[in-house]
Amino acid sequence: MPTATKDMDFAFQTAGANPGLEVWCIENQRLVSVSKSSHGKFYTGSAYLVLNAVFPKIGPPQYDIHYWLGNEAKKVDSSLASDKALELDAALGSCSVQYREIQGQESQKFLSYFRPCLIPIEGVFTSKQGNLNGEYHVSLYTCKGDYVVYVKEVPFLRSSLNHEDVFILDTALKIFLFSGCNSTIQERAKALEVVQYIKENKHGGKCEVATIEDGKFVGDSDVGEFWSLFGGYAPIPRDSPSVQESEAPPVKLFWINLQGKLCETGSNAFSKEMLETDKCYMLDCDGEIFVWMGRQTLLTERRTTIRAVEEFVRNEGRSNKTHLTFLSEGLESTIFRSYFTNWPKTVEPRLYEEGKEKVAAIFKHQGYEVKELPEEDNEPSIDCSGTIKVWRVDGDELSLLSVAELTKLYSGDCYIVQYTFLGNGRDETLFYAWLGSKCVMEDKAAAISHMSTMADSIRTNPVMAQIHEGKEPAQFFSILQRLIILKGGNSSGYRKFIEEKGIVDETYNENLVALFRVQGTSPDNMQAIQVDQVSTSLNSSYCYILQSKASIYTWIGSLSSARDHNLLDRMVELSNPTWLPVSVREGNEPDIFWDALSGKAEYPKGKEIQGFIDDPHLFALKITRGDFKVKEIYNYTQDDLITEDVLLLDCQREIYVWVGLHSAVKSKQEALNLGLKFLEMDVLVEGLSLNIPIYIVTEGHEPPFFTRFFSWDHSKENIFGNSFERKLAILKGKPKSLEGHNRTPLKANSRPSTPDGHGSISVFSNGRGRSSSPIPSSAGSDLRQSGDRSLSSSTPVVKKLFEGSPSQSSAGKTMPQSGSPATELSSSDETASFPQKDRNVDGENTAIYPYERLRVVSANPVTGIDLTKREVYLSNEEFREKFGMPKSAFYKLPRWKQNKLKMSLDLF
């Protein structure tokens, strides 16, 4: 932490040392810390300072400073609050974003700190505790907002009611919720959270709750009681038509000099170069004003700037809805950057390093010695021992890959991966469409269409994901465990493309020179990726396998770790035990090594530094009359997954589109298109690749790798009704389960749009493509794999890393002309017979053979067995004798260790 200056407020000496909220109030022109129990209580006659500190898992801390001004706050207190915000920013090393918050017009981010609501209290804050006695004060509140609630106390009069809003009437014995006929379901649901808050905090959890619906009066005693409190029923007048807002004025940029004078420097067209690091600027966007402060400006300059901007807002007669945001150089928001052309999309290394040092200093301040910040957690969040199937896409046709081929993918092809695993007490299915970096558009479109059709045929509403080569999620690698990506392709579309373009066919050939980069995090997460066989493909941070006509070399980069070396050895050992590679360390390469790579050349030799990953952000996606709108939900919880909405969780390396059961989106393809649309919006996702993985998740079928981003309560998953009905049932303690009720699963469109803009292709029983129609419900019976489920390690033992292409193997199967496509796609005996990690560990339902007949070098070998799992066919007694452990213990070992033991016994 930066050391406090002599004139710095004592309250800030330890500010920001811990994540979470800190709140101060101005009392008698000094700062007083507010206890956590009073964080949500803001007095209308006072001014407050709020600091929110967030410590991401990776990267520098993030600070947001808000100064809140009550409507009755004194001017001197309001000025002091803005000064203290600047002082606090200086104490934090000028690494915060600051906001001015006006009572009743607070930002959504500010309100999200005080869920479910912030209810201003009449009066002035005092640090002295007192007791309030007397008659219970009846209050009438309006509630507005879908994700955060704006609560405002209004006069307890009938004239305060209207048809547009939701109202809460709080009396001594009962709380009434009145819903205007034009209010939304979500507003009503959010207002129920406020009702719950008032019940618990003002009534000790003991009072009745009644809901009143605007326009319905018959047969309800609560309705009569409600209106009697207003002196009897009378119609609520209709609101007069609202006046259309005029067009927004142009955006203007002002430089603010040392005397506080605003000098206009441009209008509408701005560049980053216009912002000088020793000056302060104001960007006037009418409804929102940004103040940019260069890193070389002094605290006195910043104070003068804030005074000038606040005076500008008053003199211009701006609405009190105008938000002021104060940004320091290097911490610009994406919204601010969007007003400037060609703003760099990468974080400055200097600022990132400063952030790392600050995190380390904070840990040290808390008593921890930190030599290096912890690495990102790469542990898979799902069971990676499930059942896997892989199909290669060739236009209208799909070819099911054999066990020996399913972990080898070609860059010129597209594949569909179906993975079944044990989730929350039930079988879950996950589909990936893997799109090679060199694939043709028709294969990409067909892959997405086939995946949608296959996902549609499974009743359990599986998760569907689109992923691109080079941007695979860590989970995909964990599922496949050992993946080999080869150059070239085998689909007819790819072959036709390179022939028409006159491109040299680079499809892998085991008789030619090939270079593979080895990467991964553990023996259960390894990849060998073929790269161009030239020196410039090397990198000091990695290890490589070079396959030449004469020899096999392993190249160890000088910046690679001991873990990388172990993975290199295991990849070679498990891929081809007969290989005797020549180990070469960087800097000691023989000439023959460089000759195989067409000569020595310069390559990257610096340590690869991975940029920090921000914590996930949740957005609501709405399309109304063709207009696509995105709204961020701050400090989100599971309760923000509203059944009428489509929400997007942005994790920077992958995004999840969550589709509520009552939303307007009715197909996985439509949800996927929304995800793609989101990625195209530069303002909110600046710096994200258009090729990052996109998962489609349906309400009620959330997988663990999605729920891990929330404090998840499974009891909330399957409550019947819309969002208002669900929360009302929880409030009254009578939730109804969805079981027994018909729920509409998310389906694929009959003709979903595809990446190239054409209609999708569906595979019929004759194997031909045409406009698709829904697959019969029986089509997915085999895909569901219910009943006789088997947990497995999805990766088979591959004896050769560089075997021939699938097109040269007899294992690839196109769909026959009988039966439904979904049934045929899952009916491979070869894949189904692949033994699993926890299957038949005691030899049940498996033929038993003596050890001598199961050995690779046996004179009388057994036929008709799975040669990759010879040990399964040993009796329990002989297995224990040979391996020195029971089968159950053996299958708990890492896969590489299992294979090593099998090799020593000639069973591999």
Side-chain angles (χ1 to χ4, degrees):
M1 292 291 299
T3 56
T5 60
K6 183 177 179 181
D7 59 345
M8 185 179 295
D9 198 300
F10 179 79
F12 297 152
Q13 289 189 358
T14 59
N18 296 295
L21 281 182
E22 294 182 69
V23 181
W24 298 268
C25 184
I26 306 292
E27 183 184 23
N28 298 325
Q29 297 188 29
R30 66 185 181 90
L31 273 186
V32 176
S33 180
V34 177
S35 65
K36 288 187 180 295
S37 60
S38 300
H39 273 190
K41 299 175 182 177
F42 285 73
Y43 287 86
T44 60
S46 299
Y48 291 79
L49 195 64
V50 176
L51 168 65
N52 183 50
V54 176
F55 292 177
K57 291 181 179 179
I58 300 177
Q62 300 168 2
Y63 300 112
D64 287 303
I65 300 173
H66 306 255
Y67 60 98
W68 184 89
L69 309 177
N71 288 338
E72 279 84 43
K74 297 178 181 178
K75 186 175 181 180
V76 63
D77 288 346
S78 299
S79 297
L80 186 57
S82 65
D83 287 347
K84 290 298 181 182
L86 274 178
E87 193 175 318
L88 177 56
D89 174 59
L92 297 171
S94 298
C95 288
S96 72
V97 178
Q98 303 158 58
Y99 308 84
R100 185 187 71 157
E101 307 287 354
I102 303 297
Q103 179 186 336
Q105 305 299 332
E106 298 89 349
S107 66
Q108 294 202 24
K109 174 177 281 191
F110 180 78
L111 290 177
S112 70
Y113 303 147
F114 307 102
R115 289 173 180 259
C117 62
L118 184 155
I119 304 178
I121 304 169
E122 294 290 332
V124 178
F125 170 85
T126 174
S127 54
K128 298 179 181 179
Q129 298 296 322
N131 294 321
L132 296 176
N133 296 312
E135 186 177 346
Y136 191 87
H137 175 65
V138 177
S139 303
L140 181 65
Y141 303 98
T142 64
C143 297
K144 298 181 180 182
D146 293 345
Y147 303 102
V148 293
V149 189
Y150 291 84
V151 179
K152 179 182 179 182
E153 186 170 2
V154 294
F156 177 31
L157 300 170
R158 184 191 294 108
S159 58
S160 295
L161 303 175
N162 60 54
H163 297 291
E164 310 301 321
D165 298 326
V166 181
F167 295 82
I168 295 174
L169 179 61
D170 177 26
T171 69
L173 300 177
K174 185 179 288 188
I175 303 175
F176 297 87
L177 178 72
F178 176 84
S179 302
C181 59
N182 295 328
S183 62
T184 67
I185 293 292
Q186 294 182 13
E187 285 180 318
R188 300 178 189 187
K190 277 295 175 183
L192 280 176
E193 295 180 13
V194 180
V195 169
Q196 179 72 32
Y197 173 81
I198 294 174
K199 178 180 177 180
E200 292 176 355
N201 289 273
K202 295 183 67 175
H203 297 268
K206 298 179 180 179
C207 72
E208 294 184 50
V209 174
T211 55
I212 312 298
E213 195 167 340
D214 184 13
K216 294 188 178 180
F217 312 104
V218 181
D220 192 332
S221 59
D222 290 331
V223 173
E225 184 179 355
F226 174 79
W227 287 112
S228 68
L229 294 170
F230 290 92
Y233 171 74
I236 300 174
R238 294 285 176 182
D239 293 336
S240 58
S242 59
V243 179
Q244 289 187 349
E245 296 183 1
S246 59
E247 291 186 9
V251 178
K252 295 181 179 181
L253 182 68
F254 296 85
W255 164 54
I256 305 173
N257 65 20
L258 296 178
Q259 290 73 42
K261 183 180 179 181
L262 275 66
C263 309
E264 185 172 343
T265 59
S267 177
N268 283 338
F270 314 112
S271 65
K272 184 178 183 296
E273 289 69 27
M274 298 174 70
L275 303 176
E276 299 180 33
T277 190
D278 60 346
K279 294 180 180 179
C280 295
Y281 297 83
M282 183 187 80
L283 186 69
D284 181 10
C285 307
D286 192 41
E288 185 163 20
I289 291 177
F290 296 94
V291 178
W292 185 90
M293 299 173 285
R295 293 182 69 82
Q296 295 182 22
T297 55
L298 301 175
L299 186 62
T300 53
E301 295 178 63
R302 297 185 176 202
R303 186 175 287 121
T304 300
T305 295
I306 291 178
R307 293 276 188 277
V309 172
E310 290 181 337
E311 185 177 348
F312 170 83
V313 172
R314 284 193 298 269
N315 294 341
E316 289 285 315
R318 293 293 176 88
S319 165
N320 59 1
K321 294 182 180 180
T322 303
H323 286 119
L324 296 184
T325 303
F326 305 93
L327 304 164
S328 294
E329 180 183 357
L331 297 170
E332 298 86 357
S333 66
T334 52
I335 297 294
F336 177 82
R337 294 198 300 264
S338 69
Y339 290 102
F340 294 79
T341 58
N342 302 321
W343 193 291
K345 295 186 177 183
T346 57
V347 178
E348 293 183 42
R350 174 176 57 83
L351 296 179
Y352 176 57
E353 292 302 321
E354 287 179 8
K356 287 176 65 178
E357 292 171 5
K358 182 179 288 291
V359 174
I362 289 173
F363 275 111
K364 188 172 183 179
H365 179 79
Q366 295 174 342
Y368 298 97
E369 281 296 330
V370 181
K371 294 182 179 179
E372 190 171 331
L373 295 179
E375 292 187 2
E376 184 179 8
D377 180 15
N378 287 309
E379 285 297 315
S381 55
I382 63 172
D383 175 12
C384 291
S385 60
T387 304
I388 187 170
K389 293 181 181 179
V390 182
W391 292 268
R392 188 178 73 251
V393 177
D394 192 353
D396 296 349
E397 296 183 347
L398 297 178
S399 299
L400 180 63
L401 301 188
S402 68
V403 168
E405 298 286 346
L406 57 78
T407 57
K408 293 194 296 186
L409 309 180
Y410 284 75
S411 293
D413 293 336
C414 295
Y415 298 83
I416 296 173
V417 177
Q418 177 192 339
Y419 181 63
T420 304
F421 62 99
L422 184 61
N424 181 31
R426 64 189 179 194
D427 276 0
E428 302 282 1
T429 303
L430 168 61
F431 281 100
Y432 284 107
W434 186 88
L435 311 176
S437 59
K438 302 295 184 181
C439 70
V440 296
M441 186 59 71
E442 62 178 324
D443 283 346
K444 182 184 294 186
I448 296 171
S449 175
H450 287 315
M451 177 177 64
S452 298
T453 302
M454 295 166 74
D456 185 28
S457 69
I458 297 182
R459 295 176 184 173
T460 55
N461 240 338
V463 176
M464 192 176 86
Q466 171 185 301
I467 60 176
H468 292 78
E469 178 189 349
K471 295 291 183 181
E472 298 90 347
Q475 178 175 272
F476 181 75
F477 291 142
S478 296
I479 289 172
L480 291 177
Q481 296 189 8
R482 189 165 64 259
L483 176 64
I484 303 156
I485 298 180
L486 303 168
K487 300 183 73 170
N490 297 284
S491 77
S492 56
Y494 174 79
R495 294 287 183 183
K496 180 180 178 182
F497 173 79
I498 62 173
E499 183 179 347
E500 290 178 349
K501 298 293 183 180
I503 299 173
V504 176
D505 186 7
E506 295 183 317
T507 302
Y508 171 75
N509 186 324
E510 60 185 357
N511 297 318
L512 300 178
V513 176
L515 181 64
F516 290 81
R517 184 179 72 244
V518 177
Q519 61 188 41
T521 59
S522 73
D524 293 328
N525 184 327
M526 299 190 297
Q527 301 90 47
I529 301 173
Q530 187 177 3
V531 295
D532 292 339
Q533 52 270 19
V534 291
S535 303
T536 52
S537 295
L538 299 175
N539 188 306
S540 298
S541 296
Y542 292 98
C543 296
Y544 293 78
I545 299 173
L546 174 61
Q547 172 194 344
S548 69
K549 297 178 181 179
S551 305
I552 301 293
Y553 295 92
T554 57
W555 187 85
I556 300 174
S558 60
L559 298 178
S560 59
S561 64
R563 182 185 67 182
D564 297 327
H565 307 164
N566 290 335
L567 294 182
L568 176 66
D569 292 341
R570 288 168 188 166
M571 179 63 81
V572 172
E573 180 181 12
L574 297 177
S575 302
N576 193 330
T578 64
W579 276 351
L580 294 175
V582 178
S583 181
V584 175
R585 287 191 172 271
E586 182 178 4
N588 297 309
E589 301 88 350
D591 292 339
I592 192 173
F593 176 86
W594 295 118
D595 291 342
L597 295 178
S598 302
K600 187 175 181 179
E602 288 297 318
Y603 56 85
K605 295 180 180 180
K607 182 68 176 177
E608 283 200 344
I609 300 176
Q610 193 172 36
F612 70 87
I613 298 297
D614 197 4
D615 284 344
H617 295 265
L618 186 66
F619 299 90
L621 308 182
K622 293 184 181 295
I623 295 183
T624 54
R625 299 176 183 176
D627 187 19
F628 184 75
K629 293 184 178 180
V630 176
K631 179 187 288 186
E632 182 166 5
I633 303 171
Y634 299 99
N635 299 301
Y636 61 84
T637 68
Q638 181 184 354
D639 290 332
D640 288 312
L641 300 177
I642 300 175
T643 187
E644 292 85 13
D645 278 354
V646 177
L647 300 169
L648 186 143
L649 187 67
D650 170 20
C651 304
Q652 290 200 316
R653 288 182 180 170
E654 56 200 23
I655 64 174
Y656 297 82
V657 180
W658 180 91
V659 184
L661 289 176
H662 292 80
S663 73
V665 172
K666 300 303 178 186
S667 76
K668 286 185 169 63
Q669 182 68 61
E670 187 180 352
L672 179 60
N673 290 339
L674 286 178
L676 293 170
K677 182 77 173 177
F678 176 85
L679 290 176
E680 293 171 358
M681 297 183 65
D682 291 338
V683 173
L684 287 170
V685 292
E686 190 172 18
L688 283 186
S689 167
L690 292 175
N691 292 336
I692 68 170
I694 303 176
Y695 288 86
I696 308 301
V697 177
T698 309
E699 180 185 3
H701 295 274
E702 295 89 353
F705 52 88
F706 174 80
T707 59
R708 66 193 168 110
F709 297 107
F710 301 81
S711 295
W712 197 261
D713 182 357
H714 288 285
S715 66
K716 295 181 180 179
E717 286 180 4
N718 296 314
I719 301 176
F720 177 72
N722 60 36
S723 55
F724 176 76
E725 293 167 339
R726 295 181 186 190
K727 289 186 177 177
L728 183 61
I730 293 173
L731 180 62
K732 294 189 174 183
K734 300 175 181 179
K736 296 180 182 179
S737 173
L738 271 174
E739 295 178 7
H741 296 275
N742 292 327
R743 62 187 298 167
T744 305
L746 194 66
K747 295 292 185 181
N749 277 336
S750 58
R751 290 194 59 143
S753 60
T754 52
D756 61 356
H758 299 295
S760 69
I761 302 170
S762 177
V763 182
F764 277 68
S765 58
N766 61 5
R768 302 289 182 182
R770 54 168 291 182
S771 299
S772 64
S773 60
I775 289 181
S777 59
S778 61
S781 58
D782 291 332
L783 273 172
R784 285 190 291 276
Q785 307 205 15
S786 58
D788 183 22
R789 183 185 186 279
S790 53
L791 294 175
S792 77
S793 171
S794 58
T795 310
V797 177
V798 183
K799 284 208 169 187
K800 282 190 178 181
L801 177 59
F802 314 120
E803 292 179 332
S805 68
S807 62
Q808 298 167 336
S809 170
S810 61
K813 299 176 182 179
T814 57
M815 290 164 33
Q817 297 184 6
S818 62
S820 68
T823 303
E824 179 59 35
L825 289 174
S826 60
S827 63
S828 167
D829 293 336
E830 185 173 10
T831 303
S833 65
F834 175 52
Q836 312 270 335
K837 184 184 294 184
D838 299 321
R839 182 181 183 183
N840 294 328
V841 294
D842 294 321
E844 295 179 5
N845 303 323
T846 303
I848 302 299
Y849 298 99
Y851 166 70
E852 290 301 328
R853 292 195 62 194
L854 292 170
R855 295 177 63 194
V856 176
V857 294
S858 174
N860 182 23
V862 180
T863 59
I865 64 171
D866 188 336
L867 299 179
T868 66
K869 286 286 183 177
R870 297 172 186 266
E871 78 283 356
V872 169
Y873 304 96
L874 289 171
S875 67
N876 292 336
E877 295 75 14
E878 197 163 17
F879 188 99
R880 185 185 292 271
E881 175 189 342
K882 298 297 181 183
F883 286 89
M885 66 184 75
K887 289 183 179 179
S888 57
F890 173 79
Y891 286 112
K892 290 178 181 178
L893 296 175
R895 179 56 56 88
W896 67 270
K897 191 170 289 187
Q898 293 178 23
N899 291 336
K900 205 159 190 175
L901 287 172
K902 291 196 294 182
M903 287 173 61
S904 67
L905 294 169
D906 288 330
L907 293 175
F908 177 58

